[in-house]
């Protein structure tokens, strides 16, 4: 697919289909490209960003749920997303609309080229061993089973993931 403006806020997010590539472009340091994907059940979401050119400001990719909870994010600077791209996988705790946005990682440095990117968002059906947000306080701790693996994601410098285990 091809990104169309305006899609600078979640209410005008462009719809994505799982596994399809969306070709977009960050036109300025204030441009934000919002996308929405509808899930029919709980599972995972993987956002992958691929770029062709070396860009000094870089891109930020963020995944949120419909309640605006930050589920995951990553940053691609310079050549980080060239060749093999970069991705993050997060838990989607329920069916519903999830949002992914791409923006400039810099509020002051313009793109050297055109800020072009290829975004692929893929949904998966795995539900076990996946961290679900929000779990930032002890009262919303996610339950662990002894000896099991939990795959989580620290989405920002302020993200805290709480877990509980019965002994």
């Amino acid at each position: 697919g091809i990104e169309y403006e305006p899609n600078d806020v979640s209410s005008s997010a462009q719809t994505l289909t799982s596994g399809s590539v969306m070709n977009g472009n960050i036109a300025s340091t204030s441009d934000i490209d919002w996308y929405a994907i509808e899930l029919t059940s709980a599972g995972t979401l993987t956002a992958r960003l691929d770029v062709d050119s070396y860009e000094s400001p870089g891109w930020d990719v963020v995944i949120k749920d419909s309640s605006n909870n930050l589920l995951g994010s990553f940053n691609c600077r310079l050549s980080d997303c060239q060749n093999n791209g970069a991705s993050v996988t997060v838990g989607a705790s329920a069916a519903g609309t999830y949002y992914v946005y791409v923006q400039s990682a810099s509020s002051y440095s313009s793109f050297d080229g055109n800020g072009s990117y290829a975004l692929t968002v893929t949904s998966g059906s795995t539900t076990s061993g996946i961290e679900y947000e929000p779990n930032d306080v002890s009262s919303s701790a996610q339950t662990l089973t002894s000896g099991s693996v939990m795959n989580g994601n620290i989405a920002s410098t302020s993200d805290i993931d709480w877990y509980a285990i019965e002994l």
Side-chain angles (χ1 to χ4, degrees), residues 39-142:
L39 299 185
T40 57
S41 64
T44 59
L45 273 177
T46 300
R48 176 185 171 89
L49 193 76
D50 291 282
V51 301
D52 290 330
S53 62
Y54 172 99
E55 294 285 356
S56 57
W59 298 261
D60 285 334
V61 178
V62 178
I63 303 174
K64 292 190 169 196
D65 65 16
S66 59
S67 297
N68 206 36
N69 291 307
L70 177 62
L71 304 182
S73 66
F74 66 93
N75 171 271
C76 289
R77 296 184 338 117
L78 306 172
S79 62
D80 289 348
C81 286
Q82 279 183 289
N83 301 320
N84 295 322
S87 65
V88 65
T89 299
V90 301
S93 61
T97 304
Y98 289 81
Y99 297 94
V100 178
Y101 67 81
V102 180
Q103 66 181 5
S104 173
S106 173
S107 60
Y108 59 87
S109 178
S110 297
F111 283 96
D112 303 325
N114 62 8
S116 294
Y117 62 83
L119 174 69
T120 307
V121 178
T122 307
S123 61
S125 59
T126 301
T127 57
S128 63
I130 302 294
E131 174 222 357
Y132 295 113
E133 293 285 354
N135 64 342
D136 297 332
V137 294
S138 61
S139 61
S140 63
Q142 192 169 343

Side-chain angles (χ1 to χ4, degrees), residues 141-163:
Q142 192 169 343
T143 303
L144 294 177
T145 304
S146 179
S148 63
V149 173
M150 178 64 66
N151 293 300
N153 182 1
I154 298 297
S156 72
T157 57
S158 62
D159 188 15
I160 299 170
D161 292 339
W162 280 82
Y163 299 97

